[in-house]
Amino acid sequence: MIKAGIIGASGYAGSEVLRFLLNHPEVEVVGVSAHSDANKKVSELYPSFYQICDLPFLEDEDEVIARADVIFAGLPAGISEPFAQKTLDQNKKFIDLGADFRLDNPEDYAFWYGKKYENSALHQQQVYGLPETHRNEIKQASLIGNPGCYPTSVQLGLYPIMLPHLYANKHIIVNSASGVTGAGKKLTEDTHFTKTNESFHPYKAGNHRHTPEIEQELTKMSGEAIHITFVPHLLPVNRGIVSTMYIDLKKDIKLEDIYKLYQETYQDEQFVRVLPLGKQADLKFVTYTNYCDISLHMDERNHTLIVVSTIDNMVKGTAGQAIQNMNLMFGLKENTGLNYVGPSF
């Protein structure tokens, strides 16, 4: 059995990792920590765990690391480095659900997050944890930067089309909408019920901190510099992301050919479903699952490809993807513990 520990387990990301790990046939959860809720039982904070998981939240992260083979960290930006180093020093594996190990360029991290890398040698070991594009590196890794939720939906939606000879414009417009859990557990003015209920609005238009992560990875896929205009929106739902991307295609490319390319790219990927032409991706049918649904559409008048990508921001966008990475790191079948079907209505 793999012994797993969660640092920052009282937040939404950490509790979602715990929910999946408790149903994982090859994992035993041996410790969870949370400063703000130290000595409380998990089930006191989250009643759904009552009589299922009554572990206490520990205050000492070192104790969690000592017990575990793999650590999941659900922490704010700028906090994960020392815990990652302690984990690696003990020849264990570390999966960071935050932003500290996603960006290659420390200047990008400083600009967008207002933090700096304190341990540059540690970042030489980080591997970006999107399995569909970094699978081989993940299998050999000990330190994973789990992708952001918006970047996951955008990258999976655009990966097949990133061949340079297919599109005419290297500037891509991305509109995304997320459920309120994407903002984290800490309450803000925008996440009050009275503000989000019966509302739908953009936020951080053109300056969201996931922008450099998306551009970094799309540029790697393409081999050419990709720039995006990214506008996120807040949906009045608990979970889910819908990302809509607009790509100018070269004039001789047909939607049927693009659809075939997507089918071929993802034919062996269990967690990416390319819907038949004419269907629309809908977040309802991916909630609580590790699936990404993609639908393709064409604005024939302007010859613009429209890609719609839907995920559950807390699963494929966070916890499910982290466990998918863990499965790869430990040589398990990639779908172990993740075969959940979404709601039918």
Side-chain angles (χ1 to χ4, degrees):
M1 295 287 281
I2 300 167
K3 296 179 180 180
I6 307 169
I7 295 174
S10 65
Y12 288 150
S15 66
E16 193 77 343
V17 169
L18 178 61
R19 183 173 72 86
F20 275 90
L21 290 180
L22 291 173
N23 289 287
H24 196 295
E26 302 294 335
V27 171
E28 176 189 3
V29 180
V30 294
V32 297
S33 73
H35 278 220
S36 59
D37 295 287
N39 301 316
K40 286 183 181 178
K41 293 180 179 179
V42 169
S43 54
E44 288 182 68
L45 192 62
Y46 293 106
S48 59
F49 292 120
Y50 181 63
Q51 295 186 346
I52 297 171
C53 180
D54 292 315
L55 285 171
F57 290 112
L58 302 175
E59 191 169 8
D60 185 359
E61 294 88 357
D62 290 348
E63 185 175 350
V64 178
I65 294 171
R67 295 179 183 182
D69 302 315
V70 58
I71 293 293
F72 296 86
L75 299 168
I79 298 178
S80 292
E81 278 185 323
F83 301 122
Q85 188 63 66
K86 289 178 181 179
T87 303
L88 268 58
D89 286 345
Q90 297 179 40
N91 295 315
K92 300 176 178 184
K93 300 183 187 297
F94 190 90
I95 301 172
D96 186 39
L97 280 71
D100 288 1
F101 299 102
R102 294 173 184 165
L103 296 177
D104 297 337
N105 188 341
E107 294 179 359
D108 287 339
Y109 184 70
F111 179 83
W112 290 92
Y113 289 88
K115 311 281 184 180
K116 67 177 182 177
Y117 293 158
E118 301 291 346
N119 185 345
S120 57
L122 185 63
H123 291 273
Q124 300 303 311
Q125 303 176 59
Q126 70 189 40
V127 170
Y128 189 74
L130 188 67
E132 288 76 12
T133 60
H134 291 75
R135 182 168 285 112
N136 291 334
E137 299 98 313
I138 293 167
K139 288 179 179 179
Q140 306 301 319
S142 294
L143 174 58
I144 295 292
N146 212 56
C149 50
Y150 282 131
T152 296
S153 66
V154 174
Q155 290 173 65
L156 292 177
L158 293 178
Y159 176 44
I161 199 67
M162 284 294 98
L163 299 173
H165 67 277
L166 295 177
Y167 54 94
N169 189 344
K170 299 178 182 62
H171 175 245
I172 297 172
I173 295 173
V174 179
N175 284 320
S176 294
S178 173
V180 181
T181 51
K185 190 175 179 181
K186 187 176 180 180
L187 192 63
T188 67
E189 182 67 28
D190 272 355
T191 56
H192 275 284
F193 175 82
T194 51
K195 182 70 178 289
T196 58
N197 184 46
E198 300 184 37
S199 175
F200 178 63
H201 64 89
Y203 66 99
K204 297 182 181 177
N207 64 353
H208 191 280
R209 56 177 51 176
H210 282 171
T211 301
E213 181 183 345
I214 297 170
E215 290 185 341
Q216 168 185 287
E217 295 303 312
L218 293 183
T219 294
K220 289 179 184 177
M221 295 173 187
S222 171
E224 299 182 5
I226 301 297
H227 301 282
I228 67 165
T229 296
F230 177 51
V231 182
H233 300 68
L234 191 63
L235 280 171
V237 299
N238 285 344
R239 54 172 71 216
I241 283 178
V242 179
S243 289
T244 305
M245 289 78 75
Y246 308 88
I247 307 97
D248 292 334
L249 294 178
K250 293 186 176 177
K251 295 300 182 184
D252 59 345
I253 305 294
K254 297 180 180 179
L255 179 60
E256 290 74 16
D257 295 329
I258 295 297
Y259 180 68
K260 182 179 179 181
L261 173 62
Y262 271 72
Q263 285 186 307
E264 291 173 350
T265 301
Y266 288 131
Q267 62 184 349
D268 296 323
E269 297 292 349
Q270 174 177 342
F271 294 120
V272 182
R273 304 187 295 195
V274 182
L275 303 183
L277 289 177
K279 298 293 185 180
Q280 307 271 351
D282 187 326
L283 69 81
K284 176 181 284 292
F285 305 115
V286 296
T287 53
Y288 295 96
T289 81
N290 201 49
Y291 288 99
C292 172
D293 281 359
I294 296 171
S295 62
L296 303 176
H297 317 272
M298 183 75 83
D299 175 357
E300 297 286 357
R301 187 171 61 87
N302 295 303
H303 208 66
T304 299
L305 176 68
I306 302 169
V307 180
V308 181
S309 172
T310 61
I311 63 170
D312 186 317
N313 60 299
M314 296 307 302
V315 188
K316 184 56 175 170
T318 310
Q321 185 150 253
I323 292 165
Q324 192 177 350
N325 282 319
M326 180 200 70
N327 289 340
L328 287 168
M329 297 166 83
F330 284 89
L332 302 177
K333 288 186 177 180
E334 201 165 325
N335 61 353
T336 307
L338 293 171
N339 288 320
Y340 291 85
V341 176
S344 56
F345 55 85

